[in-house]
Amino acid sequence: MRFGKWRLRAAQLALSPTWLTVIVVYLGTMAWTVALSFTNSRLLPSWDWAGFAQYQRLFDTSKWNLALQNLVIFGVLYVFGCLVLGFLLAAALDRRVRFESAFRTLFLYPYAMSFVVTGLIWQWLMNPTLGIQPTFQGMGWENFRFDWVTNRTMAIYAVVLAGIWQGSGLVMVLALAGMRGIDAEQWRAARIDGIPVWRVYLSIILPQLGPAMAAAATLLSMGVIKTYDLVIALTKGGPGSSTEVPAKFIMDNMFQRQNLGLATAAAGVLLLSVVLVVAPFRYAAYITAKRRAGQL
């Protein structure tokens, strides 16, 4: 009995640095950020109380509202595009194609890259002077256009395209793992009934991949909210402010405009966005676990 208590205390002592890091570094910095958002801090923190003035000023700023609009466009298209393309890639590999390992590595490789590398690659590909556009025009397609990074209307979709290329491999791996865990008897029954393959994936396989797809959607959504390096590497927020995102708005106000109060107010809004994104998934997981345990 004494040995068990000693082991418990030893484990608690070993975990104390981790708990201290979580409390001080994570929770402490979040509380500090929220507190500063209610002040008139400029270059350095100050305790000149301003109430909700920074938040009002924030939503009166056209660039911030444009950044939120771009975040919604990017987030919806990026998450949906990654889920669809990742599922299709997983379904293709699930058919036991030749060189499956090579294809799986090839499709997953972009996810191993940083968003900076991804942005630079697609900046070169969509460069109107040395990328895909001049290549096709040199082949005789003189009216071909793929200059999205220089087009105000299409620039945000260039960011979406680069993001989907980078993130769909994660969805593919999770979906493929889920598919390989499905009982093969379901496929045999579907063949006997003459159900088309696409219908089996859509009506039988996909509903069983709910947890895997939900996990992928959560990870992708978390990446959306903190999108910064992809935009900087690909478009630098331009042309103009057409690809401005909240994370870039925060960094610009914090380090270039020396407006710490406005930057922390924007960070507070993003923190609330993270909570709103994560909370439904965590609640759904909690309810599912309760039902499986027979407590609901």
Side-chain angles (χ1 to χ4, degrees):
M1 196 69 177
R2 292 180 179 178
F3 179 73
K5 290 182 178 180
W6 182 86
R7 290 186 59 184
L8 178 61
R9 290 177 180 175
Q12 292 173 344
L13 182 63
L15 289 174
S16 58
T18 303
W19 281 110
L20 185 63
T21 302
V22 170
I23 294 173
V24 175
V25 177
Y26 291 98
L27 299 180
T29 53
M30 283 192 293
W32 176 260
T33 299
V34 173
L36 287 179
S37 69
F38 293 101
T39 67
N40 284 320
S41 300
R42 298 294 296 182
L43 177 61
L44 297 174
S46 69
W47 294 109
D48 182 13
W49 189 256
F52 288 94
Q54 296 288 9
Y55 289 92
Q56 182 178 355
R57 189 177 302 123
L58 178 67
F59 284 99
D60 287 340
T61 305
S62 59
K63 183 172 284 190
W64 171 255
N65 293 324
L66 177 61
L68 289 180
Q69 178 182 331
N70 287 335
L71 185 68
V72 171
I73 294 174
F74 173 77
V76 171
L77 296 180
Y78 168 69
V79 174
F80 181 76
C82 286
L83 291 177
V84 172
L85 182 58
F87 175 78
L88 293 177
L89 291 175
L93 294 179
D94 189 49
R95 303 306 298 163
R96 308 288 181 179
V97 298
R98 294 182 63 185
F99 309 112
E100 177 188 330
S101 298
F103 282 117
R104 187 169 59 243
T105 303
L106 181 65
F107 294 149
L108 184 60
Y109 185 72
Y111 187 73
M113 299 180 182
S114 68
F115 268 135
V116 173
V117 176
T118 299
L120 290 175
I121 289 174
W122 281 93
Q123 184 190 63
W124 296 333
L125 290 176
M126 288 184 277
N127 190 307
T129 60
L130 54 85
I132 295 176
Q133 176 175 306
T135 301
F136 275 83
Q137 289 177 345
M139 296 170 58
W141 299 71
E142 297 181 358
N143 295 325
F144 181 83
R145 292 288 182 272
F146 195 54
D147 54 351
W148 291 8
V149 292
T150 60
N151 188 320
R152 283 178 174 267
T153 305
M154 300 301 297
I156 188 62
Y157 301 105
V159 180
V160 172
L161 181 61
I164 291 175
W165 178 79
Q166 200 259 7
S168 57
L170 171 66
V171 182
M172 178 205 70
V173 170
L174 295 176
L176 184 60
M179 291 176 183
R180 294 293 164 81
I182 295 176
D183 191 356
E185 290 297 328
Q186 297 184 32
W187 277 107
R188 297 191 184 94
R191 293 192 191 98
I192 293 174
D193 293 338
I195 302 175
V197 173
W198 68 268
R199 189 68 180 180
V200 175
Y201 276 108
L202 190 62
S203 301
I204 300 176
I205 304 299
L206 183 57
Q208 298 182 65
L209 297 180
M213 301 301 278
T218 302
L219 294 174
L220 294 172
S221 299
M222 294 295 294
V224 167
I225 294 174
K226 59 183 181 181
T227 300
Y228 173 76
D229 39 7
L230 177 61
V231 173
I232 292 297
L234 183 56
T235 64
K236 295 181 174 61
S241 300
S242 58
T243 55
E244 186 81 13
V245 290
K248 183 178 180 299
F249 180 91
I250 293 171
M251 298 297 287
D252 289 347
N253 278 276
M254 185 174 293
F255 296 107
Q256 294 183 13
R257 300 183 180 91
Q258 286 83 45
N259 195 338
L260 188 58
L262 190 64
T264 52
V269 173
L270 280 192
L271 176 61
L272 180 61
S273 301
V274 171
V275 173
L276 293 177
V277 169
V278 173
F281 290 105
R282 297 301 302 169
Y283 180 73
Y286 172 78
I287 294 298
T288 302
K290 286 290 186 180
R291 286 177 178 173
R292 288 178 178 175
Q295 298 178 9
L296 287 179

